């Protein structure tokens, strides 16, 4: 029911080749507990992977060792989730207490002349400085987290920081809805800026700076500098109490009864890479459309998640080497993690998801615009879903679409993919040229006796553009193309 895809960070050189600048700092968890309890999480680490790794291990112990059961109400679950995050952070700081104490002790042995160079320090002071650098690496860093808990077939989302959760579901009227659950805790989140202002922080300066101690998040796990030494940070020095917190914002519960679709948990690096390449307006719709396309092709959820991550990585790289307008935003990307949890899907390798073996094609329309106008156009890609008689989780589950859904070769209605947010309602307009998905007719071609269908992709524009860029400037492809 779950698959995870990852990619390490990358910095591109002038030749377009990428190099990894630091070890992968992301983390994730996926566990099944008792009484139909499932726990998933994606953690975006920074300045090291220690916090992300610790949180992914400790949070499981705080939630799946008898703390939750089917009798708990929504308020009970929210309380337990909040307590779990609090315990995880306190437990992490306990693991670095000794290092912090040693760091404070050794700092007293250093000369307080900041203008003194490393070579002017005595041999003993140099050793102290080297040890302090080692200790700083051990204790620095933090993580943001997005966690999904499924209990009693209801999902709760707990978010700390700038990761993202999306719920894509097909409703009974044939609509495919994309719901972004919660908003990122970032320096442009109005509610977070109001929270900081109430503590005495100059929110206008925070908004203008865009970052606090090197990160855009206003809620984090770990990061002792902003938790214990925030008075030494210029932007936070006026705070009456700790301004950067690890308290999760919990959304839900959302019922999953009768829902067919999938839940996505994404690290900030994945979101930023896609938004850098294509703009933020249609990022949610694009990643959902990619997942839908890969679900119809791959044989495992792990392959689905990894393929989507690779597609986003490739898009980001291609925009950089294109030299076009958005290439300046794509010189690098951070670690990327995508977790996919399907809802009422059969296993992908059972053949039910192939249209020639009983699957049913449900087209998903992704709205976009080719200009800055507010008019929208729908492009369609086929999302192959289980047939009505498929056994799901041991029960005979009916399809969420209407009885008259056609099979390949007949006319298919279009299911509109809607984008909503738990905080705001946003319209679907795109910054790109709409070329990610080519519009496809609803009349599916019938395979021949070998199982193949006639080619339906028109490459003439590609050949024309290639010829004009690499040939003698003529508009024809002049020999390029299939031979």
């Amino acid at each position: 029911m779950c698959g995870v895809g990852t990619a390490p960070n990358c910095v591109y050189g002038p030749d377009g080749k990428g190099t990894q600048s630091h070890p992968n700092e992301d983390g994730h968890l996926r566990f099944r507990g008792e009484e139909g309890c499932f726990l998933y999480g994606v953690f975006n680490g920074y300045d090291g992977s220690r916090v992300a790794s610790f949180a992914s291990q400790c949070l499981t112990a705080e939630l799946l060792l008898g703390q939750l059961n089917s009798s708990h109400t929504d308020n009970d679950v929210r309380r337990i989730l909040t307590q779990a995050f609090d315990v995880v952070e306190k437990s992490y700081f306990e693991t670095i207490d000794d290092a912090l104490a040693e760091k404070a002790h050794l700092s007293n042995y250093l000369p307080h002349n900041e203008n003194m160079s490393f070579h002017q320090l005595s041999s003993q002071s140099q050793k102290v400085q080297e040890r302090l650098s080692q200790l700083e690496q051990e204790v620095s860093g933090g993580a943001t987290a997005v966690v999904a808990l499924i209990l009693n077939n209801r999902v709760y989302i707990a978010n700390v920081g700038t990761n993202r959760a999306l719920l894509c579901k097909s409703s009974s009227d044939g609509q495919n809805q994309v719901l972004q659950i919660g908003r990122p805790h970032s320096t442009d989140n109005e509610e977070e800026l109001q929270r900081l202002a109430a503590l005495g922080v100059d929110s206008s300066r925070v908004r203008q700076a865009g970052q606090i101690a090197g990160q855009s998040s206003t809620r984090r796990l770990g990061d002792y500098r902003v938790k214990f030494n925030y008075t030494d940070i210029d932007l936070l020095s006026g705070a009456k109490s700790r301004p950067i917190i690890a308290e999760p914002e919990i959304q839900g519960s959302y019922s999953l009864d009768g829902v067919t679709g999938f839940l996505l948990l994404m690290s900030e690096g994945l979101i930023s890479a896609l938004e850098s390449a294509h703009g933020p307006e249609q990022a949610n719709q694009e990643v959902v459309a990619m997942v839908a396309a890969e679900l119809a092709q791959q044989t495992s959820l792990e392959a689905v998640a990894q393929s989507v991550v690779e597609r986003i990585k490739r898009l980001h790289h291609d925009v950089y080497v294109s030299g076009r307008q958005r290439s300046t935003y794509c010189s690098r990307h951070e670690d990327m993690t995508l977790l996919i949890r399907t809802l009422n899907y059969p296993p992908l390798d059972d053949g039910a998801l192939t249209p020639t073996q009983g699957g049913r094609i449900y087209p998903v329309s992704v709205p976009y615009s080719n200009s800055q106008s507010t008019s929208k156009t729908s492009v369609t890609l086929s999302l192959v879903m289980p047939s009505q008689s498929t056994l799901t989780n041991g029960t005979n589950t009916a399809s969420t679409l209407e009885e008259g859904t056609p099979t390949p070769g007949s006319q298919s209605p279009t299911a509109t993919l809607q984008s909503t947010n738990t905080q705001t309602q946003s319209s679907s307009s795109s910054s790109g040229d709409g070329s990610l998905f080519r519009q496809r007719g609803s009349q599916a071609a019938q395979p021949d006796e070998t199982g193949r269908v006639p080619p339906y992709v028109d490459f003439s524009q590609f050949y024309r553009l290639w010829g004009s860029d690499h040939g003698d400037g003529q508009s024809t492809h002049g020999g390029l193309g299939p031979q």
Side-chain angles (χ1 to χ4, degrees):
M1 293 184 288
C2 177
V4 177
T6 64
N9 58 89
C10 187
V11 179
Y12 304 126
D15 58 355
K17 293 183 178 179
T19 56
Q20 188 173 340
S21 61
H22 58 76
N24 195 329
E25 297 167 335
D26 281 2
H28 67 271
L29 64 86
R30 43 180 169 173
F31 284 94
R32 178 174 184 168
E34 298 178 349
E35 298 190 46
C37 181
F38 300 85
L39 184 66
Y40 307 95
V42 166
F43 303 85
N44 177 45
Y46 59 89
D47 295 338
S49 60
R50 180 174 179 136
V51 179
S53 177
F54 182 90
S56 64
Q57 297 176 47
C58 188
L59 197 61
T60 307
E62 292 301 322
L63 291 172
L64 295 185
L65 295 182
Q67 296 90 341
L68 292 164
N69 61 64
S70 58
S71 65
H72 280 138
T73 65
D74 282 357
N75 287 336
D76 293 332
V77 173
R78 295 190 190 100
R79 174 180 51 80
I80 293 170
L81 279 169
T82 301
Q83 289 176 347
F85 275 83
D86 184 55
V87 170
V88 166
E89 178 163 80
K90 288 179 179 177
S91 299
Y92 167 73
F93 284 133
E94 288 175 1
T95 68
I96 63 172
D97 270 349
D98 291 344
L100 288 173
E102 183 182 357
K103 185 172 179 291
H105 177 69
L106 291 177
S107 297
N108 296 325
Y109 288 90
L110 285 179
H112 294 287
N113 185 353
E114 295 180 356
N115 297 322
M116 185 176 292
S117 68
F118 184 80
H119 297 289
Q120 292 175 303
L121 296 173
S122 66
S123 175
Q124 183 66 26
S125 295
Q126 288 182 15
K127 292 181 180 179
V128 171
Q129 184 65 56
E130 291 172 356
R131 178 56 181 160
L132 283 172
S133 297
Q134 293 174 356
L135 290 170
E136 180 63 24
Q137 290 182 351
E138 290 180 20
V139 301
S140 65
T144 58
V146 59
V147 171
L149 171 69
I150 298 177
L151 181 67
N152 296 331
N153 213 30
R154 305 184 69 87
V155 63
Y156 304 80
I157 301 295
N159 182 47
V160 175
T162 48
N163 301 317
R164 185 172 299 180
L166 298 180
L167 179 62
C168 179
K169 55 182 179 178
S170 297
S171 60
S172 57
D173 60 357
Q175 298 279 314
N176 285 289
Q177 188 181 53
V178 179
L179 183 70
Q180 178 176 327
I181 304 178
R183 296 176 62 180
H185 302 129
S186 60
T187 53
D188 57 3
N189 182 325
E190 289 296 337
E191 292 182 0
E192 283 297 286
L193 291 175
Q194 291 175 12
R195 181 181 66 81
L196 293 176
L199 296 175
V201 175
D202 188 338
S203 59
S204 61
R205 288 186 62 203
V206 171
R207 186 200 302 273
Q208 184 177 7
Q211 290 188 337
I212 300 173
Q215 301 295 320
S216 63
S217 56
T218 56
R219 301 194 189 198
R220 313 170 190 176
L221 290 165
D223 201 339
Y224 83 94
R225 296 170 300 169
V226 298
K227 300 295 175 65
F228 300 120
N229 300 336
Y230 61 87
T231 55
D232 297 332
I233 300 172
D234 184 37
L235 281 175
L236 306 178
S237 58
K240 304 171 187 175
S241 60
R242 185 181 295 180
I244 307 300
I245 58 177
E247 180 182 343
E249 189 171 19
I250 301 171
Q251 304 286 344
S253 62
Y254 301 92
S255 175
L256 301 179
D257 291 336
V259 171
T260 300
F262 46 83
L263 176 70
L264 305 182
L265 302 183
M266 302 176 286
S267 68
E268 180 186 2
L270 184 89
I271 303 161
S272 297
L274 186 56
E275 291 185 345
S276 296
H278 283 180
E281 295 86 354
Q282 290 289 84
N284 290 348
Q285 288 87 345
E286 286 192 55
V287 71
V288 165
M290 292 182 198
V291 171
E294 295 297 335
L295 280 170
Q297 297 180 42
Q298 303 296 337
T299 58
S300 73
L301 277 173
E302 209 78 2
V304 171
Q306 191 60 45
S307 295
V308 172
V309 171
E310 293 298 332
R311 287 177 70 166
I312 294 174
K313 182 178 179 179
R314 195 160 54 245
L315 281 171
H316 185 271
H317 172 266
D318 290 350
V319 170
Y320 172 75
V321 299
S322 71
R324 296 176 181 171
Q325 182 178 4
R326 298 202 66 85
S327 62
T328 55
Y329 303 110
C330 298
S331 60
R332 63 180 299 151
H333 67 75
E334 277 301 323
D335 305 318
M336 296 189 285
T337 301
L338 170 66
L339 186 149
I340 303 172
R341 168 49 151 93
T342 55
L343 307 171
N344 294 323
Y345 268 69
L348 297 190
D349 59 357
D350 70 353
L353 291 183
T354 60
T356 57
Q357 295 179 328
R360 299 167 66 185
I361 294 181
Y362 295 161
V364 176
S365 294
V366 184
Y368 75 97
S369 61
N370 286 324
S371 65
Q372 297 302 317
S373 67
T374 57
S375 62
K376 292 180 284 186
T377 305
S378 290
V379 293
T380 302
L381 77 158
S382 294
L383 170 60
V384 181
M385 300 284 281
S387 58
Q388 280 185 307
S389 60
T390 301
L391 286 176
T392 304
N393 292 336
T395 59
N396 197 325
T397 305
S399 168
T400 59
L401 294 190
E402 296 176 356
E403 287 290 327
T405 305
T407 56
S410 62
Q411 203 70 17
S412 297
T414 295
T416 302
L417 188 67
Q418 298 178 334
S419 174
T420 60
N421 187 289
T422 57
Q423 303 292 335
T424 59
Q425 180 77 26
S426 59
S427 62
S428 297
S429 60
S430 173
S431 63
D433 59 3
S435 60
L436 181 62
F437 304 106
R438 176 182 293 275
Q439 186 160 359
R440 182 175 173 183
S442 59
Q443 189 74 18
Q446 291 296 320
D448 59 20
E449 64 276 1
T450 66
R452 294 182 173 89
V453 296
Y456 56 86
V457 180
D458 182 6
F459 284 97
S460 59
Q461 184 184 16
F462 167 78
Y463 295 136
R464 179 179 60 78
L465 292 173
W466 178 278
S468 63
D469 287 345
H470 298 81
D472 54 6
Q474 299 177 356
S475 61
T476 58
H477 56 74
L480 288 173
Q483 301 296 322

